[in-house]
Amino acid sequence: CEKKDSQASKQRLLVVANRLPVSAVRGEDDSWQLNVSAGGLVSALLGVKEFETKWVGWAGVTVDDDKGRQTLTQALAAKRCVPVFLDDEIVQQYYNGYCNNILWPLFHYLGLPQEDRLTTTRSFQSQFDAYKKANRLFADVVQEQYEEGDVVWCHDYHLMFLPKYLKEQNSSMKVGWFLHTPFPSSEIHRTLPSRSELLRSVRAADLVGFHTYDYGRHFVSACTRILGLEGTPEGVEDQGKLTRVSAFPIGIDSNNFIKALELPEVQMHIKELEETFAGRRVILGVDRLDMIKGIPQKALAFEKFLEENPSWQDKVVLLQIAVPTRSGVPEYQKLSSQVHEIVGRINGRFGTLTAVPIHHLDRNLDFHKLCALYAVTDVALVTSIRDGMNLVSYEYVACQASKKGVLILSEFAGAAQSLGAGAILINPWNVTEVASSISYALDMPADEREKRHYHNFKHVTSHTSQEWAATYVSELNDTIIEAQLRTTQ
Ligand code: ADQ
């Protein structure tokens, strides 16, 4: 009964993201298999337990028949998920096209697509139209699910039109929008043909959140320089309507990782890994296979390290786990071939009959194996060329209480602002600097490792995903109360 009461007192939170936390696969007998998706947004939000949360999003599969849609909706309801159905054409134009081929690279400072600019320009409008259409489909599902008093939390660059569409449907809805990627300098954002419409649509939200203060500042500058609005210490103002802009650095459910390390299954994986790599030090990379993660740069820096430190050859291994994503986008297919070619060349150059220097796995690891890897490895190497935050670095720190391994972290990841004092910060483009940081990390004395680890562990365990979500929603509630007070004054 007590449990029921505590459920009843929780605020309802509609989390709207392009992808649901599970991906659906249809079996031959028309049954649905639901697999947890890998990725930072899902990892962070699954740890949030203070609210009665319902997810609205795409299940990663196109379903054209009514029966399939009905059975998938039922299967997802058990996971408190509500599907948005997108057809193949929309997925191609909105998801693979506008989101992942235009906004994602642009927000990570990679610019608009370089190749075949004319084709891009021609297809730009149809991709943008599909983007708006998809956002409209999300808005319709949110509207169906919405109950008075709900907080609607829209996530990421896929859904920049959603705040506008929701507010048009219901101006009293509490709408927040949070960006998981960096927001680039206004000089980058202004190259985007649809720059103004996107900014205006996001501005319809009551609260706009970013991982770091810098991303928020870039957003405000884009609104002032491109839209001619007024920037204030609270956010952006237009004719008395304030959109609050603030930084909410995300965290992880650190307890989940810490507790998992005690499980017999994880202990068994730890033992197996220790036996496999006995006599060698292990450097770990865990990334989605994405150009922003700097995986080629990481391999090249490791090659430089081996070249300059012959005494370490054979005694150290780079274990790179790269889960393939967005394999429908040609740029990602090219990246995959490029990484395999570089890794093959380095292994050919430095491998021996019994050992290879780089173990590269293209796959998703289950949670227990991932925890074991985080716990046994000596160094984590994060070389993102841009990254909104980077939760892998947080997860590594959470699992290193006993070993106190070293985190080498790109200064271009948002995490550099929170874990910078304990990590070795690097510029991933400078392979010589990364190579010497690897060498420094491997030789670092125990007391320095302990100090660095202590600093980061304290941060990771006190700035959790639960706290992140609670702070965001509480600020969203406050923002709305303040706005109501302003209008009644
Ligand atoms: P991502 O780009 O997905 O997230 P990140 O924050 O590092 O990056 O999160 C990746 C998540 O996926 C982690 O929880 C990790 O454990 C998991 N993962 C990665 N590779 C895996 C593998 N091979 N097997 C199993 N799990 C794997 C986006 C932004 C980030 C931002 C997050 C959250 O790009 O900058 O930190 O959202 O806001």
Side-chain angles (χ1 to χ4, degrees):
C1 179
E2 246 175 52
K3 198 170 168 203
K4 224 175 170 182
D5 283 348
S6 76
Q7 285 287 333
S9 63
K10 285 182 176 178
Q11 182 165 23
R12 266 178 50 113
L13 179 64
L14 288 182
V15 169
V16 197
N18 173 62
R19 286 297 285 268
L20 288 171
V22 286
S23 301
V25 182
R26 196 171 192 168
E28 279 178 12
D29 59 351
D30 270 354
S31 64
W32 290 100
Q33 193 192 323
L34 303 178
N35 306 315
V36 176
S37 332
L41 190 155
V42 170
S43 310
L45 283 163
L46 282 181
V48 172
K49 306 198 173 79
E50 288 80 5
F51 305 96
E52 195 195 323
T53 306
K54 204 179 233 191
W55 289 72
V56 174
W58 179 50
V61 64
T62 50
V63 190
D64 297 325
D65 58 306
D66 287 344
K67 184 173 166 236
R69 288 184 171 207
Q70 219 171 38
T71 52
L72 179 57
T73 305
Q74 279 160 3
L76 288 169
K79 306 258 174 213
R80 303 199 54 77
C81 292
V82 184
V84 176
F85 291 106
L86 305 176
D87 64 29
D88 282 335
E89 175 68 9
I90 291 261
V91 170
Q92 186 53 27
Q93 299 269 332
Y94 145 79
Y95 182 64
N96 290 336
Y98 199 77
C99 291
N100 289 336
N101 205 31
I102 292 180
L103 290 181
W104 176 264
L106 190 85
F107 282 9
H108 292 90
Y109 290 76
L110 295 168
L112 290 170
Q114 298 287 310
E115 278 172 34
D116 200 358
R117 279 167 192 275
L118 284 174
T119 313
T120 304
T121 310
R122 270 203 306 274
S123 57
F124 180 86
Q125 192 56 44
S126 59
Q127 293 185 357
F128 187 51
D129 291 344
Y131 182 83
K132 290 199 274 190
K133 196 167 162 191
N135 274 243
R136 187 71 77 186
L137 294 171
F138 279 82
D140 292 343
V141 177
V142 173
Q143 189 65 34
E144 280 160 28
Q145 297 298 320
Y146 178 77
E147 288 176 18
E148 189 68 33
D150 285 357
V151 166
V152 182
W153 194 3
C154 313
H155 289 267
D156 236 356
Y157 60 99
H158 312 88
L159 300 176
M160 293 175 81
F161 270 82
L162 192 55
K164 170 181 147 87
Y165 291 158
L166 292 175
K167 286 287 193 180
E168 280 171 359
Q169 286 171 343
N170 180 349
S171 62
S172 65
M173 199 184 267
K174 295 179 191 175
V175 179
W177 182 80
F178 185 87
L179 184 65
H180 290 261
T181 69
F183 192 89
S185 145
S186 62
E187 288 305 309
I188 296 275
H189 183 78
R190 74 184 314 142
T191 59
L192 190 60
S194 46
R195 60 199 187 182
S196 305
E197 271 187 276
L198 285 169
L199 292 174
R200 276 195 211 101
S201 309
V202 168
R203 267 208 67 246
D206 299 293
L207 176 64
V208 174
F210 299 94
H211 283 312
T212 70
Y213 169 79
D214 288 345
Y215 305 156
R217 192 168 45 83
H218 290 319
F219 176 78
V220 173
S221 300
C223 290
T224 55
R225 293 182 186 170
I226 298 168
L227 299 182
L229 303 182
E230 194 188 335
T232 73
E234 285 87 35
V236 193
E237 202 167 313
D238 183 21
Q239 296 169 10
K241 148 93 173 105
L242 172 77
T243 304
R244 194 174 286 277
V245 177
S246 203
F248 301 89
I250 203 169
I252 59 165
D253 185 1
S254 48
N255 262 338
N256 197 26
F257 285 86
I258 294 166
K259 278 200 261 156
L261 294 179
E262 289 162 15
L263 297 173
E265 195 188 336
V266 177
Q267 287 296 323
M268 186 191 75
H269 290 313
I270 290 180
K271 206 159 162 276
E272 281 166 4
L273 286 165
E274 281 171 346
E275 282 166 15
T276 308
F277 294 108
R280 278 187 293 171
R281 309 285 285 283
V282 185
I283 300 172
L284 178 67
V286 176
D287 306 273
R288 283 185 308 96
L289 185 66
D290 194 300
M291 42 284 229
I292 71 154
K293 303 293 180 182
I295 300 172
Q297 286 83 346
K298 189 179 327 197
L300 293 173
F302 186 62
E303 179 181 34
K304 183 88 179 154
F305 162 77
L306 293 174
E307 213 174 79
E308 290 186 348
N309 297 276
S311 62
W312 275 111
Q313 289 169 19
D314 244 15
K315 296 195 187 76
V316 65
V317 57
L318 170 62
L319 187 50
Q320 176 64 50
I321 317 288
V323 58
T325 46
R326 305 174 192 172
S327 30
V329 180
E331 288 295 318
Y332 285 76
Q333 294 156 3
K334 268 191 244 158
L335 174 70
S336 176
S337 320
Q338 187 196 18
V339 168
H340 286 141
E341 193 247 293
I342 296 174
V343 168
R345 185 177 56 70
I346 298 172
N347 279 345
R349 185 173 169 203
F350 292 101
T352 63
L353 281 178
T354 49
V356 289
I358 305 184
H359 286 232
H360 179 97
L361 306 185
D362 286 326
R363 78 185 60 137
N364 202 352
L365 275 192
D366 80 46
F367 179 65
H368 292 150
K369 284 195 180 136
L370 190 62
C371 290
L373 265 179
Y374 282 143
V376 296
T377 44
D378 301 274
V379 175
L381 185 51
V382 177
T383 50
S384 310
I385 54 174
R386 290 277 164 188
D387 214 335
M389 179 58 85
N390 189 277
L391 295 181
V392 165
S393 41
Y394 277 60
E395 294 169 1
Y396 180 72
V397 169
C399 294
Q400 279 285 323
S402 89
K403 193 152 189 158
K404 300 183 175 59
V406 182
L407 172 65
I408 302 180
L409 177 60
S410 165
E411 61 186 71
F412 301 118
Q417 298 193 13
S418 42
L419 304 181
I424 301 180
L425 292 186
I426 44 109
N427 170 2
W429 295 102
N430 185 343
V431 287
T432 311
E433 183 196 2
V434 181
S436 61
S437 299
I438 294 175
S439 170
Y440 186 71
L442 290 171
D443 283 331
M444 190 182 284
D447 59 339
E448 184 179 344
R449 279 193 287 116
E450 261 170 47
K451 270 189 217 138
R452 286 176 180 267
H453 172 77
Y454 175 74
H455 177 278
N456 282 348
F457 191 76
K458 213 167 107 196
H459 184 90
V460 166
T461 49
S462 57
H463 295 78
T464 60
S465 49
Q466 289 90 332
E467 191 220 56
W468 166 72
T471 312
Y472 186 92
V473 176
S474 138
E475 190 149 333
L476 178 54
N477 284 323
D478 289 352
T479 302
I480 287 158
I481 294 168
E482 281 164 27
Q484 284 163 350
L485 286 175
R486 260 203 308 275
T487 50
T488 52
Q489 268 165 13

Short mmCIF file of all heavy atoms in Angstrom, two decimals, residues 215-243:
data_model
loop_
_atom_site.label_atom_id
_atom_site.label_comp_id
_atom_site.label_asym_id
_atom_site.label_seq_id
_atom_site.Cartn_x
_atom_site.Cartn_y
_atom_site.Cartn_z
N TYR A 215 27.81 25.57 -24.15
CA TYR A 215 26.81 25.25 -25.19
C TYR A 215 25.62 26.21 -25.07
O TYR A 215 25.07 26.67 -26.07
CB TYR A 215 26.30 23.81 -25.08
CG TYR A 215 27.36 22.72 -25.09
CD1 TYR A 215 27.10 21.46 -24.52
CD2 TYR A 215 28.61 22.91 -25.68
CE1 TYR A 215 28.04 20.44 -24.53
CE2 TYR A 215 29.57 21.90 -25.68
CZ TYR A 215 29.27 20.66 -25.10
OH TYR A 215 30.22 19.67 -25.09
N GLY A 216 25.22 26.48 -23.84
CA GLY A 216 24.09 27.40 -23.61
C GLY A 216 24.42 28.80 -24.12
O GLY A 216 23.59 29.47 -24.74
N ARG A 217 25.66 29.20 -23.88
CA ARG A 217 26.08 30.54 -24.32
C ARG A 217 26.06 30.61 -25.86
O ARG A 217 25.62 31.60 -26.45
CB ARG A 217 27.50 30.80 -23.80
CG ARG A 217 27.97 32.23 -23.93
CD ARG A 217 29.25 32.46 -23.13
NE ARG A 217 30.23 31.40 -23.31
CZ ARG A 217 31.08 31.31 -24.33
NH1 ARG A 217 31.08 32.22 -25.26
NH2 ARG A 217 31.95 30.31 -24.40
N HIS A 218 26.49 29.53 -26.52
CA HIS A 218 26.45 29.51 -27.99
C HIS A 218 25.00 29.64 -28.49
O HIS A 218 24.74 30.31 -29.48
CB HIS A 218 27.03 28.20 -28.54
CG HIS A 218 28.52 28.08 -28.36
ND1 HIS A 218 29.36 29.13 -28.56
CD2 HIS A 218 29.30 27.03 -28.03
CE1 HIS A 218 30.61 28.73 -28.34
NE2 HIS A 218 30.60 27.47 -28.01
N PHE A 219 24.09 28.95 -27.79
CA PHE A 219 22.68 29.01 -28.20
C PHE A 219 22.14 30.43 -28.06
O PHE A 219 21.50 30.96 -28.97
CB PHE A 219 21.85 28.02 -27.36
CG PHE A 219 20.38 28.07 -27.66
CD1 PHE A 219 19.86 27.45 -28.79
CD2 PHE A 219 19.50 28.76 -26.82
CE1 PHE A 219 18.49 27.52 -29.08
CE2 PHE A 219 18.15 28.81 -27.09
CZ PHE A 219 17.65 28.19 -28.23
N VAL A 220 22.45 31.04 -26.92
CA VAL A 220 21.96 32.41 -26.70
C VAL A 220 22.56 33.35 -27.75
O VAL A 220 21.86 34.19 -28.34
CB VAL A 220 22.27 32.88 -25.25
CG1 VAL A 220 21.93 34.36 -25.07
CG2 VAL A 220 21.50 32.04 -24.24
N SER A 221 23.86 33.19 -28.04
CA SER A 221 24.49 34.04 -29.08
C SER A 221 23.82 33.83 -30.42
O SER A 221 23.61 34.78 -31.18
CB SER A 221 25.96 33.70 -29.29
OG SER A 221 26.65 33.86 -28.14
N ALA A 222 23.48 32.56 -30.74
CA ALA A 222 22.82 32.31 -32.03
C ALA A 222 21.48 33.04 -32.07
O ALA A 222 21.12 33.65 -33.08
CB ALA A 222 22.63 30.81 -32.25
N CYS A 223 20.75 33.02 -30.95
CA CYS A 223 19.45 33.71 -30.92
C CYS A 223 19.61 35.22 -31.03
O CYS A 223 18.81 35.89 -31.67
CB CYS A 223 18.69 33.36 -29.63
SG CYS A 223 18.13 31.67 -29.59
N THR A 224 20.65 35.75 -30.40
CA THR A 224 20.81 37.21 -30.47
C THR A 224 21.33 37.61 -31.86
O THR A 224 20.82 38.54 -32.46
CB THR A 224 21.76 37.74 -29.37
OG1 THR A 224 23.00 37.04 -29.46
CG2 THR A 224 21.21 37.52 -27.99
N ARG A 225 22.31 36.86 -32.37
CA ARG A 225 22.93 37.29 -33.64
C ARG A 225 22.08 36.93 -34.86
O ARG A 225 22.07 37.65 -35.85
CB ARG A 225 24.30 36.65 -33.79
CG ARG A 225 25.27 37.19 -32.76
CD ARG A 225 26.64 36.63 -32.91
NE ARG A 225 27.46 37.08 -31.82
CZ ARG A 225 28.67 36.62 -31.55
NH1 ARG A 225 29.18 35.67 -32.30
NH2 ARG A 225 29.35 37.08 -30.53
N ILE A 226 21.43 35.79 -34.80
CA ILE A 226 20.68 35.35 -36.00
C ILE A 226 19.23 35.83 -35.94
O ILE A 226 18.68 36.27 -36.94
CB ILE A 226 20.77 33.82 -36.17
CG1 ILE A 226 22.24 33.41 -36.37
CG2 ILE A 226 19.93 33.33 -37.35
CD1 ILE A 226 22.53 31.93 -36.26
N LEU A 227 18.63 35.78 -34.75
CA LEU A 227 17.22 36.19 -34.66
C LEU A 227 17.07 37.63 -34.18
O LEU A 227 15.97 38.18 -34.17
CB LEU A 227 16.45 35.28 -33.68
CG LEU A 227 16.39 33.78 -34.01
CD1 LEU A 227 15.56 33.04 -32.97
CD2 LEU A 227 15.80 33.55 -35.40
N GLY A 228 18.17 38.22 -33.72
CA GLY A 228 18.11 39.60 -33.24
C GLY A 228 17.38 39.74 -31.91
O GLY A 228 16.84 40.80 -31.60
N LEU A 229 17.34 38.68 -31.12
CA LEU A 229 16.65 38.74 -29.83
C LEU A 229 17.60 39.24 -28.75
O LEU A 229 18.80 39.36 -28.96
CB LEU A 229 16.11 37.36 -29.45
CG LEU A 229 15.17 36.72 -30.46
CD1 LEU A 229 14.67 35.39 -29.95
CD2 LEU A 229 13.99 37.65 -30.75
N GLU A 230 17.02 39.43 -27.57
CA GLU A 230 17.84 39.95 -26.48
C GLU A 230 18.30 38.80 -25.58
O GLU A 230 17.49 37.98 -25.13
CB GLU A 230 16.98 40.93 -25.67
CG GLU A 230 17.81 41.77 -24.72
CD GLU A 230 16.90 42.59 -23.80
OE1 GLU A 230 15.75 42.87 -24.20
OE2 GLU A 230 17.36 42.93 -22.71
N GLY A 231 19.62 38.73 -25.34
CA GLY A 231 20.15 37.72 -24.41
C GLY A 231 20.13 38.30 -23.01
O GLY A 231 20.47 39.47 -22.82
N THR A 232 19.69 37.54 -22.02
CA THR A 232 19.68 38.02 -20.64
C THR A 232 20.43 36.98 -19.81
O THR A 232 20.70 35.88 -20.29
CB THR A 232 18.23 38.12 -20.09
OG1 THR A 232 17.75 36.79 -19.87
CG2 THR A 232 17.30 38.85 -21.04
N PRO A 233 20.74 37.28 -18.54
CA PRO A 233 21.44 36.26 -17.72
C PRO A 233 20.63 34.98 -17.59
O PRO A 233 21.18 33.91 -17.40
CB PRO A 233 21.59 36.96 -16.37
CG PRO A 233 21.49 38.41 -16.66
CD PRO A 233 20.60 38.55 -17.85
N GLU A 234 19.29 35.07 -17.72
CA GLU A 234 18.46 33.84 -17.58
C GLU A 234 18.30 33.09 -18.88
O GLU A 234 17.93 31.92 -18.86
CB GLU A 234 17.04 34.19 -17.09
CG GLU A 234 16.93 34.55 -15.64
CD GLU A 234 17.17 36.04 -15.42
OE1 GLU A 234 16.78 36.83 -16.30
OE2 GLU A 234 17.78 36.39 -14.40
N GLY A 235 18.46 33.76 -20.02
CA GLY A 235 18.22 33.07 -21.27
C GLY A 235 18.04 34.03 -22.43
O GLY A 235 18.85 34.92 -22.64
N VAL A 236 16.93 33.86 -23.17
CA VAL A 236 16.67 34.71 -24.33
C VAL A 236 15.28 35.30 -24.18
O VAL A 236 14.33 34.59 -23.84
CB VAL A 236 16.64 33.89 -25.63
CG1 VAL A 236 16.70 34.81 -26.84
CG2 VAL A 236 17.74 32.87 -25.67
N GLU A 237 15.16 36.59 -24.48
CA GLU A 237 13.87 37.24 -24.30
C GLU A 237 13.41 37.85 -25.62
O GLU A 237 14.21 38.37 -26.39
CB GLU A 237 14.01 38.33 -23.24
CG GLU A 237 12.67 38.66 -22.62
CD GLU A 237 12.81 39.49 -21.35
OE1 GLU A 237 13.66 39.14 -20.50
OE2 GLU A 237 12.08 40.48 -21.24
N ASP A 238 12.11 37.73 -25.86
CA ASP A 238 11.53 38.35 -27.05
C ASP A 238 10.17 38.93 -26.66
O ASP A 238 9.26 38.18 -26.31
CB ASP A 238 11.36 37.28 -28.15
CG ASP A 238 10.82 37.88 -29.43
OD1 ASP A 238 10.95 39.10 -29.62
OD2 ASP A 238 10.26 37.12 -30.24
N GLN A 239 10.07 40.22 -26.71
CA GLN A 239 8.82 40.93 -26.36
C GLN A 239 8.19 40.40 -25.08
O GLN A 239 7.03 39.98 -25.05
CB GLN A 239 7.83 40.81 -27.52
CG GLN A 239 8.34 41.51 -28.75
CD GLN A 239 7.51 41.20 -29.99
OE1 GLN A 239 6.45 40.60 -29.91
NE2 GLN A 239 8.02 41.60 -31.12
N GLY A 240 9.01 40.34 -24.05
CA GLY A 240 8.52 39.93 -22.73
C GLY A 240 8.45 38.43 -22.52
O GLY A 240 8.28 37.96 -21.41
N LYS A 241 8.60 37.63 -23.59
CA LYS A 241 8.55 36.16 -23.41
C LYS A 241 9.99 35.66 -23.21
O LYS A 241 10.85 35.79 -24.09
CB LYS A 241 7.86 35.52 -24.63
CG LYS A 241 8.35 34.12 -25.00
CD LYS A 241 7.57 32.98 -24.38
CE LYS A 241 7.97 31.62 -24.89
NZ LYS A 241 8.77 30.79 -24.06
N LEU A 242 10.22 35.12 -22.01
CA LEU A 242 11.57 34.63 -21.69
C LEU A 242 11.64 33.12 -21.93
O LEU A 242 10.75 32.37 -21.52
CB LEU A 242 11.88 34.91 -20.21
CG LEU A 242 13.16 34.28 -19.68
CD1 LEU A 242 14.38 35.06 -20.16
CD2 LEU A 242 13.17 34.21 -18.15
N THR A 243 12.70 32.69 -22.60
CA THR A 243 12.99 31.26 -22.65
C THR A 243 14.21 31.06 -21.78
O THR A 243 15.27 31.63 -22.05
CB THR A 243 13.33 30.79 -24.09
OG1 THR A 243 12.26 31.17 -24.93
CG2 THR A 243 13.54 29.29 -24.14
#
